[in-house]
C-alpha cells in the first residue's frame, strides 16, 4: 500500500486567487491522478499527472485552469487558478499501486476548498 | 453518459437490517472495485473483483462480480452504525489503454441508525 499526504486539508479562498494543493507519497509510484468531488457525490477525474511530461487532462478540464506539476515519482501539485465559487469542492490525489490488474487506488484525505 | 450506474443513491436503514448496493454497466470491465469513504477522508479500497462470477466476502460484506463482468453488487448483512458512509464502485474498462484510470459510479450514501 501507499501512504499519501495531501495538504492543505481545507482552505477558504477569495475569488480570483489561486491555490496550490500538494500531494506527497511515501514511495515511488508511476501513476498519480487528481480528482474533484462534491461532498457526498462521486469522483470526477481531472487529470493524470505524468512524471517528466505534461499532465493528461480529461474532457472539461484544461491546463490553464488546473496546472499540474509532477517533478518526481513521489510528489505532485495541482493548482486551481483564478478561482470562482463554482470551484468549491473537494480535491483528491490518488496513486495506483501495483496490484490486481494494476487498479488498486489509494487516496489522500482530500482538500476541501471553499471559494468566497 | 454514466458508464457505471450505481443504485440506490441513498439508503437509510436500521441497525441489523440487510442491504444491497448495485453497480451496472453496458460495458465490460477487466476489474471492478468497491470503496468506502467517510467524511473528511479519501476513499478506502474494500475489495477488487476480476473474474466473472467471482464472489468475495469481507466479514459481513459480500461482493459479487457478474458473469459477463458488466455488473457488481455489494451486500451487507446485519448492518451496523459503523457501516455508515459513502460507498463507491469503480472499474477499469476492458481493453482500455489508460493504465490505472478508474471509472466511478455515482456513489451510495448509507446511513445505519442505531
Amino acid at each position: 500500500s501507499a501512504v499519501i499526504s495531501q495538504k492543505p486539508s481545507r482552505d477558504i479562498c477569495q475569488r480570483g486567487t489561486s491555490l496550490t494543493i500538494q500531494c506527497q507519497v511515501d514511495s515511488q509510484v508511476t501513476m498519480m491522478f487528481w480528482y474533484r468531488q462534491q461532498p457526498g457525490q462521486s469522483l470526477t477525474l481531472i487529470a493524470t499527472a505524468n512524471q517528466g511530461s505534461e499532465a493528461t487532462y480529461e474532457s472539461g478540464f484544461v491546463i490553464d485552469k488546473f496546472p499540474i506539476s509532477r517533478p518526481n515519482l513521489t510528489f505532485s501539485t495541482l493548482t486551481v487558478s483564478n478561482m470562482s465559487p463554482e470551484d468549491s469542492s473537494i480535491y483528491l490525489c490518488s496513486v495506483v499501486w501495483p496490484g490486481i490488474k494494476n487498479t488498486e487506488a489509494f487516496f489522500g484525505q482530500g482538500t476541501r476548498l471553499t471559494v468566497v | 453518459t454514466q458508464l457505471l450506474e450505481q443504485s440506490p443513491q441513498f439508503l437509510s436503514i436500521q441497525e441489523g437490517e440487510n442491504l444491497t448496493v448495485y453497480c451496472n454497466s453496458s460495458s465490460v470491465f477487466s476489474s471492478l472495485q468497491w470503496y468506502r469513504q467517510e467524511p473528511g477522508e479519501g476513499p478506502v479500497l474494500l475489495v477488487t473483483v476480476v473474474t466473472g462470477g467471482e464472489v468475495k466476502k469481507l466479514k459481513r460484506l459480500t461482493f459479487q462480480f457478474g458473469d459477463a463482468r458488466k455488473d457488481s453488487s455489494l451486500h451487507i448483512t446485519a448492518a451496523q452504525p459503523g457501516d455508515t458512509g459513502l460507498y463507491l464502485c469503480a472499474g477499469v474498462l476492458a481493453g482500455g489503454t489508460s493504465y490505472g484510470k478508474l471509472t466511478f459510479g455515482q456513489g451510495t450514501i448509507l446511513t445505519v441508525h442505531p
Side-chain angles (χ1 to χ4, degrees), chain B residues 15-31:
Chain B
E15 182 176 2
E17 293 183 5
N18 302 332
L19 66 110
T20 302
V21 180
Y22 300 93
C23 204
N24 296 295
S25 177
S26 57
S27 302
V28 178
F29 286 83
S30 59
S31 66

PDB file of all heavy atoms in Angstrom, chain B residues 15-31:
ATOM      1  N   GLU B  15     -30.217  -0.479  12.272  1.00  0.00           N
ATOM      2  CA  GLU B  15     -29.192  -1.458  12.649  1.00  0.00           C
ATOM      3  C   GLU B  15     -29.779  -2.862  12.611  1.00  0.00           C
ATOM      4  O   GLU B  15     -30.910  -3.092  13.068  1.00  0.00           O
ATOM      5  CB  GLU B  15     -28.683  -1.130  14.055  1.00  0.00           C
ATOM      6  CG  GLU B  15     -27.579  -2.042  14.551  1.00  0.00           C
ATOM      7  CD  GLU B  15     -27.045  -1.607  15.907  1.00  0.00           C
ATOM      8  OE1 GLU B  15     -27.568  -0.622  16.467  1.00  0.00           O
ATOM      9  OE2 GLU B  15     -26.101  -2.251  16.397  1.00  0.00           O
ATOM     10  N   GLY B  16     -29.020  -3.796  12.037  1.00  0.00           N
ATOM     11  CA  GLY B  16     -29.474  -5.179  11.970  1.00  0.00           C
ATOM     12  C   GLY B  16     -30.102  -5.568  10.638  1.00  0.00           C
ATOM     13  O   GLY B  16     -30.234  -6.758  10.344  1.00  0.00           O
ATOM     14  N   GLU B  17     -30.476  -4.575   9.847  1.00  0.00           N
ATOM     15  CA  GLU B  17     -31.081  -4.867   8.537  1.00  0.00           C
ATOM     16  C   GLU B  17     -29.999  -5.246   7.528  1.00  0.00           C
ATOM     17  O   GLU B  17     -28.824  -4.945   7.701  1.00  0.00           O
ATOM     18  CB  GLU B  17     -31.878  -3.669   8.037  1.00  0.00           C
ATOM     19  CG  GLU B  17     -33.118  -3.371   8.865  1.00  0.00           C
ATOM     20  CD  GLU B  17     -33.930  -2.215   8.296  1.00  0.00           C
ATOM     21  OE1 GLU B  17     -33.580  -1.715   7.213  1.00  0.00           O
ATOM     22  OE2 GLU B  17     -34.919  -1.807   8.930  1.00  0.00           O
ATOM     23  N   ASN B  18     -30.450  -5.902   6.463  1.00  0.00           N
ATOM     24  CA  ASN B  18     -29.558  -6.232   5.348  1.00  0.00           C
ATOM     25  C   ASN B  18     -29.784  -5.241   4.207  1.00  0.00           C
ATOM     26  O   ASN B  18     -30.850  -4.628   4.103  1.00  0.00           O
ATOM     27  CB  ASN B  18     -29.840  -7.654   4.837  1.00  0.00           C
ATOM     28  CG  ASN B  18     -29.683  -8.701   5.908  1.00  0.00           C
ATOM     29  OD1 ASN B  18     -28.918  -8.527   6.857  1.00  0.00           O
ATOM     30  ND2 ASN B  18     -30.431  -9.787   5.778  1.00  0.00           N
ATOM     31  N   LEU B  19     -28.776  -5.086   3.356  1.00  0.00           N
ATOM     32  CA  LEU B  19     -28.923  -4.176   2.229  1.00  0.00           C
ATOM     33  C   LEU B  19     -28.045  -4.636   1.078  1.00  0.00           C
ATOM     34  O   LEU B  19     -27.062  -5.358   1.268  1.00  0.00           O
ATOM     35  CB  LEU B  19     -28.521  -2.752   2.633  1.00  0.00           C
ATOM     36  CG  LEU B  19     -27.045  -2.572   2.975  1.00  0.00           C
ATOM     37  CD1 LEU B  19     -26.338  -1.741   1.913  1.00  0.00           C
ATOM     38  CD2 LEU B  19     -26.875  -1.968   4.349  1.00  0.00           C
ATOM     39  N   THR B  20     -28.419  -4.195  -0.126  1.00  0.00           N
ATOM     40  CA  THR B  20     -27.616  -4.482  -1.314  1.00  0.00           C
ATOM     41  C   THR B  20     -27.481  -3.217  -2.145  1.00  0.00           C
ATOM     42  O   THR B  20     -28.461  -2.504  -2.363  1.00  0.00           O
ATOM     43  CB  THR B  20     -28.264  -5.597  -2.164  1.00  0.00           C
ATOM     44  OG1 THR B  20     -28.423  -6.775  -1.362  1.00  0.00           O
ATOM     45  CG2 THR B  20     -27.385  -5.939  -3.361  1.00  0.00           C
ATOM     46  N   VAL B  21     -26.272  -2.956  -2.591  1.00  0.00           N
ATOM     47  CA  VAL B  21     -25.987  -1.850  -3.499  1.00  0.00           C
ATOM     48  C   VAL B  21     -25.564  -2.442  -4.835  1.00  0.00           C
ATOM     49  O   VAL B  21     -24.809  -3.422  -4.875  1.00  0.00           O
ATOM     50  CB  VAL B  21     -24.864  -0.948  -2.929  1.00  0.00           C
ATOM     51  CG1 VAL B  21     -24.561   0.205  -3.891  1.00  0.00           C
ATOM     52  CG2 VAL B  21     -25.253  -0.405  -1.564  1.00  0.00           C
ATOM     53  N   TYR B  22     -26.052  -1.844  -5.911  1.00  0.00           N
ATOM     54  CA  TYR B  22     -25.810  -2.386  -7.243  1.00  0.00           C
ATOM     55  C   TYR B  22     -24.993  -1.418  -8.086  1.00  0.00           C
ATOM     56  O   TYR B  22     -25.109  -0.205  -7.963  1.00  0.00           O
ATOM     57  CB  TYR B  22     -27.139  -2.667  -7.942  1.00  0.00           C
ATOM     58  CG  TYR B  22     -28.006  -3.659  -7.219  1.00  0.00           C
ATOM     59  CD1 TYR B  22     -28.966  -3.227  -6.302  1.00  0.00           C
ATOM     60  CD2 TYR B  22     -27.854  -5.028  -7.429  1.00  0.00           C
ATOM     61  CE1 TYR B  22     -29.762  -4.139  -5.625  1.00  0.00           C
ATOM     62  CE2 TYR B  22     -28.655  -5.943  -6.760  1.00  0.00           C
ATOM     63  CZ  TYR B  22     -29.603  -5.494  -5.858  1.00  0.00           C
ATOM     64  OH  TYR B  22     -30.387  -6.397  -5.184  1.00  0.00           O
ATOM     65  N   CYS B  23     -24.208  -2.014  -8.974  1.00  0.00           N
ATOM     66  CA  CYS B  23     -23.405  -1.253  -9.903  1.00  0.00           C
ATOM     67  C   CYS B  23     -23.547  -1.930 -11.269  1.00  0.00           C
ATOM     68  O   CYS B  23     -23.181  -3.101 -11.411  1.00  0.00           O
ATOM     69  CB  CYS B  23     -21.954  -1.269  -9.434  1.00  0.00           C
ATOM     70  SG  CYS B  23     -20.967   0.077 -10.017  1.00  0.00           S
ATOM     71  N   ASN B  24     -24.101  -1.213 -12.250  1.00  0.00           N
ATOM     72  CA  ASN B  24     -24.408  -1.821 -13.534  1.00  0.00           C
ATOM     73  C   ASN B  24     -23.834  -1.014 -14.695  1.00  0.00           C
ATOM     74  O   ASN B  24     -23.738   0.214 -14.628  1.00  0.00           O
ATOM     75  CB  ASN B  24     -25.925  -1.927 -13.725  1.00  0.00           C
ATOM     76  CG  ASN B  24     -26.553  -2.845 -12.713  1.00  0.00           C
ATOM     77  OD1 ASN B  24     -26.299  -4.044 -12.692  1.00  0.00           O
ATOM     78  ND2 ASN B  24     -27.377  -2.286 -11.844  1.00  0.00           N
ATOM     79  N   SER B  25     -23.498  -1.725 -15.758  1.00  0.00           N
ATOM     80  CA  SER B  25     -22.959  -1.062 -16.941  1.00  0.00           C
ATOM     81  C   SER B  25     -23.291  -1.874 -18.185  1.00  0.00           C
ATOM     82  O   SER B  25     -23.553  -3.076 -18.099  1.00  0.00           O
ATOM     83  CB  SER B  25     -21.444  -0.913 -16.796  1.00  0.00           C
ATOM     84  OG  SER B  25     -20.889  -0.329 -17.953  1.00  0.00           O
ATOM     85  N   SER B  26     -23.262  -1.231 -19.313  1.00  0.00           N
ATOM     86  CA  SER B  26     -23.391  -1.938 -20.583  1.00  0.00           C
ATOM     87  C   SER B  26     -22.011  -2.297 -21.133  1.00  0.00           C
ATOM     88  O   SER B  26     -21.896  -2.994 -22.138  1.00  0.00           O
ATOM     89  CB  SER B  26     -24.146  -1.076 -21.606  1.00  0.00           C
ATOM     90  OG  SER B  26     -23.486   0.150 -21.792  1.00  0.00           O
ATOM     91  N   SER B  27     -20.969  -1.834 -20.441  1.00  0.00           N
ATOM     92  CA  SER B  27     -19.598  -2.099 -20.855  1.00  0.00           C
ATOM     93  C   SER B  27     -18.988  -3.203 -20.001  1.00  0.00           C
ATOM     94  O   SER B  27     -19.408  -3.430 -18.862  1.00  0.00           O
ATOM     95  CB  SER B  27     -18.751  -0.827 -20.727  1.00  0.00           C
ATOM     96  OG  SER B  27     -19.288   0.219 -21.489  1.00  0.00           O
ATOM     97  N   VAL B  28     -17.991  -3.849 -20.553  1.00  0.00           N
ATOM     98  CA  VAL B  28     -17.274  -4.912 -19.849  1.00  0.00           C
ATOM     99  C   VAL B  28     -16.081  -4.308 -19.111  1.00  0.00           C
ATOM    100  O   VAL B  28     -15.350  -3.485 -19.666  1.00  0.00           O
ATOM    101  CB  VAL B  28     -16.788  -6.008 -20.826  1.00  0.00           C
ATOM    102  CG1 VAL B  28     -15.989  -7.082 -20.086  1.00  0.00           C
ATOM    103  CG2 VAL B  28     -17.979  -6.627 -21.550  1.00  0.00           C
ATOM    104  N   PHE B  29     -15.883  -4.744 -17.889  1.00  0.00           N
ATOM    105  CA  PHE B  29     -14.776  -4.259 -17.081  1.00  0.00           C
ATOM    106  C   PHE B  29     -13.784  -5.392 -16.819  1.00  0.00           C
ATOM    107  O   PHE B  29     -14.163  -6.530 -16.564  1.00  0.00           O
ATOM    108  CB  PHE B  29     -15.286  -3.687 -15.761  1.00  0.00           C
ATOM    109  CG  PHE B  29     -15.964  -2.356 -15.915  1.00  0.00           C
ATOM    110  CD1 PHE B  29     -17.297  -2.279 -16.292  1.00  0.00           C
ATOM    111  CD2 PHE B  29     -15.272  -1.183 -15.719  1.00  0.00           C
ATOM    112  CE1 PHE B  29     -17.928  -1.060 -16.472  1.00  0.00           C
ATOM    113  CE2 PHE B  29     -15.880   0.050 -15.884  1.00  0.00           C
ATOM    114  CZ  PHE B  29     -17.213   0.117 -16.260  1.00  0.00           C
ATOM    115  N   SER B  30     -12.497  -5.072 -16.884  1.00  0.00           N
ATOM    116  CA  SER B  30     -11.485  -6.076 -16.578  1.00  0.00           C
ATOM    117  C   SER B  30     -11.394  -6.301 -15.074  1.00  0.00           C
ATOM    118  O   SER B  30     -10.973  -7.375 -14.632  1.00  0.00           O
ATOM    119  CB  SER B  30     -10.127  -5.662 -17.141  1.00  0.00           C
ATOM    120  OG  SER B  30      -9.723  -4.416 -16.591  1.00  0.00           O
ATOM    121  N   SER B  31     -11.759  -5.319 -14.303  1.00  0.00           N
ATOM    122  CA  SER B  31     -11.822  -5.473 -12.855  1.00  0.00           C
ATOM    123  C   SER B  31     -12.759  -4.411 -12.300  1.00  0.00           C
ATOM    124  O   SER B  31     -12.994  -3.384 -12.937  1.00  0.00           O
ATOM    125  CB  SER B  31     -10.434  -5.328 -12.212  1.00  0.00           C
ATOM    126  OG  SER B  31      -9.952  -4.017 -12.366  1.00  0.00           O
TER     127      SER B  31
END
